[in-house]
Amino acid sequence: MRYLFILWPVAWLTACSGPEAPDAAVCRDVVTRLCQTSACPGVAEQLPPGLDCEATLLERTGCGAEEFTFSSPSRERVLDCREPLIRVGTTTERPPSCEDTRQFLVDCPDVTAFFRGEEP
Amino acid sequence: MKRWVASVLVLAVGCTPMDMERRTERGPVLRTYLQESQLGERMPFARTAVNWPQLTLRFSTADICRTEQHAEYAEDIITTRSVPGAAGAVSSGGVLTAVGGFLVLGRTLFSNSPDRDGIDREGHYGASSRKVATTWGVVLLSVGLPALVAGIVQLHRGGETKETRKADEMLALREVPCQPQPADGVVELAGGNGPPPEPRATVNGTLVLSAEEARSLSFKGLLLDGAPVLLQDEDLSRMETFRTCAQLLAAPVDPEALAREAKTHPNQLRTKRELVRACTTLPGAPAGPLLEAIDSALAGGMAPEASPTPPTPPTPPTPPSGAEL
């Protein structure tokens, strides 16, 4: 119990976060991470990236527009499936591993279909 | 609300154990005084007087008067209280409070735009620099301020207090017989070898023993109506000298025997000479002829040697002393 008293400032610091990111920003974050690992074995087959990966995926999903919002799949579903992709870090400066991206593709076929431009 | 928080802090600090050291320093002597008291227990005493060939014992009962010499002096009781770590708490608490206060008060100096470089798992941007600074400031304040207050209170509680009080010490104690009154009764001469002598009654508080009686009677102490009689050192010594001299001066002086003894047992004769010399302190004791004869025997018998240590009569340890049975 005393340790909780000591650790509460640390817990408060880690809970510190900014405003909610818009759906378009979340979508572009996922696109960036998927394209960072598009050269990984098995990724390009599941997610044909085209010549310009990010431009292709943004065009397919429509999240290049600022007014984009998730409908199907929902925002919550995308955030849940995104978790393996941010295992290394929340900034895009640190790309996910190939294994994390393959887990994303396997565990979330509906979201993968969304980024392939198909109806989930 | 502020008073409540302050009270909680003070109560929390109040539970901190303190090191307390107490020492006593003796101050100057304020006064000395005598305190006299009587024990209220009358005891039999005897004084001795010699008028050769008689030893006179004068019996009396006396109380014991106790005289105490006291010194009254000032005494300082110095109590030193300290809390180990109080200075460290003030130092670290002060630094944390200063940094935390700067971050909170100067939060407007930091950007309020969120960190758009990353999105967390709940879909939020990173916190703005202002929010991070404010959070850190509050955290540092919440840690540093209690430490600072605790340290200040502990330092305030510490320190040295001095309490001065009077103290009393007994420097000397003396007990002497006082308020004597003549006492009559039956005197027993006890403690000797063989059957005890017949008890004798005093007349006007006095018992007289002749040299011949002292020579023939064997006793070590006196009882008056069954109670041990106390004799002071001087009286005890006088009585023992009288008994010794009663033996030494009884026989006629024999120069030839002394001359022989001077040749065969010179040290024994020297010891005897010292005993005879002690007899000269008894008024009327005819010790002169024997002393001269011994001196002549020693002078003619052999070369002079270092005189032996004179024999000392038995001396009880503390006054009032006596031949207590």
Side-chain angles (χ1 to χ4, degrees), chain B residues 241-318:
Chain B
T241 304
F242 180 82
R243 296 178 65 192
T244 304
C245 295
Q247 295 280 351
L248 292 172
L249 304 180
V253 178
D254 185 353
E256 294 180 2
L258 292 173
R260 283 195 301 274
E261 192 175 354
K263 291 181 180 177
T264 56
H265 301 94
N267 289 333
Q268 184 178 329
L269 188 59
R270 288 191 185 91
T271 303
K272 187 175 181 181
R273 180 191 180 281
E274 293 304 319
L275 293 173
V276 173
R277 195 165 67 87
C279 295
T280 60
T281 62
L282 302 179
L290 180 57
L291 190 60
E292 290 175 6
I294 293 175
D295 286 340
S296 298
L298 287 172
M302 58 190 310
E305 291 183 13
S307 59
T309 306
T312 56
T315 54
T318 56

Side-chain angles (χ1 to χ4, degrees), chain B residues 3-300:
Chain B
R3 287 183 180 178
W4 185 82
V5 172
S7 301
V8 170
L9 284 174
V10 170
L11 285 176
V13 172
C15 297
T16 306
M18 298 190 73
D19 287 351
M20 189 169 69
E21 183 188 7
R22 180 172 291 178
R23 67 180 192 276
T24 303
E25 290 185 357
R26 180 171 177 154
V29 175
L30 302 176
R31 68 182 180 111
T32 58
Y33 61 96
L34 294 177
Q35 190 173 31
E36 296 181 347
S37 61
Q38 294 182 5
L39 297 186
E41 298 174 359
R42 298 191 72 81
M43 302 184 71
F45 288 86
R47 300 301 307 266
T48 60
V50 173
N51 187 11
W52 196 267
Q54 288 183 331
L55 170 69
T56 303
L57 298 168
R58 290 190 176 85
F59 293 89
S60 62
T61 59
D63 204 344
I64 301 295
C65 289
R66 172 179 290 175
T67 303
E68 298 175 355
Q69 184 182 9
H70 289 255
E72 192 176 87
Y73 58 94
E75 189 177 70
D76 294 332
I77 299 175
I78 300 169
T79 305
T80 305
R81 293 183 179 83
S82 63
V83 179
V90 171
S91 176
S92 59
V95 171
L96 293 178
T97 303
V99 175
F102 169 76
L103 291 175
V104 170
L105 297 176
R107 62 184 180 279
T108 54
L109 301 175
F110 297 91
S111 168
N112 198 27
S113 60
D115 179 13
R116 299 180 192 278
D117 290 341
I119 299 173
D120 63 13
R121 65 184 65 237
E122 282 80 27
H124 292 86
Y125 284 127
S128 66
S129 300
R130 180 178 298 177
K131 190 172 184 180
V132 170
T134 305
T135 305
W136 270 107
V138 171
V139 169
L140 294 179
L141 277 177
S142 61
V143 173
L145 200 56
L148 179 64
V149 173
I152 291 173
V153 173
Q154 287 167 357
L155 285 179
H156 181 70
R157 289 172 64 200
E160 194 174 85
T161 58
K162 186 164 81 172
E163 177 190 353
T164 303
R165 68 180 183 189
K166 286 182 182 177
D168 191 277
E169 182 185 27
M170 186 171 69
L171 300 177
L173 171 66
R174 185 164 172 259
E175 290 181 344
V176 293
C178 60
Q179 297 179 349
Q181 291 177 351
D184 274 311
V186 176
V187 178
E188 297 174 56
L189 306 173
N193 298 322
E198 284 294 317
R200 300 164 182 232
T202 61
V203 178
N204 295 327
T206 302
L207 178 67
V208 177
L209 290 177
S210 66
E212 186 177 352
E213 288 172 317
R215 187 168 59 247
S216 62
L217 297 176
S218 173
F219 66 95
K220 290 184 177 176
L222 304 171
L223 298 176
L224 180 65
D225 291 338
V229 177
L230 301 178
L231 289 97
Q232 294 192 22
D233 291 345
E234 175 190 359
D235 295 295
L236 186 61
S237 173
R238 189 179 295 116
M239 187 174 74
E240 291 302 318
T241 304
F242 180 82
R243 296 178 65 192
T244 304
C245 295
Q247 295 280 351
L248 292 172
L249 304 180
V253 178
D254 185 353
E256 294 180 2
L258 292 173
R260 283 195 301 274
E261 192 175 354
K263 291 181 180 177
T264 56
H265 301 94
N267 289 333
Q268 184 178 329
L269 188 59
R270 288 191 185 91
T271 303
K272 187 175 181 181
R273 180 191 180 281
E274 293 304 319
L275 293 173
V276 173
R277 195 165 67 87
C279 295
T280 60
T281 62
L282 302 179
L290 180 57
L291 190 60
E292 290 175 6
I294 293 175
D295 286 340
S296 298
L298 287 172

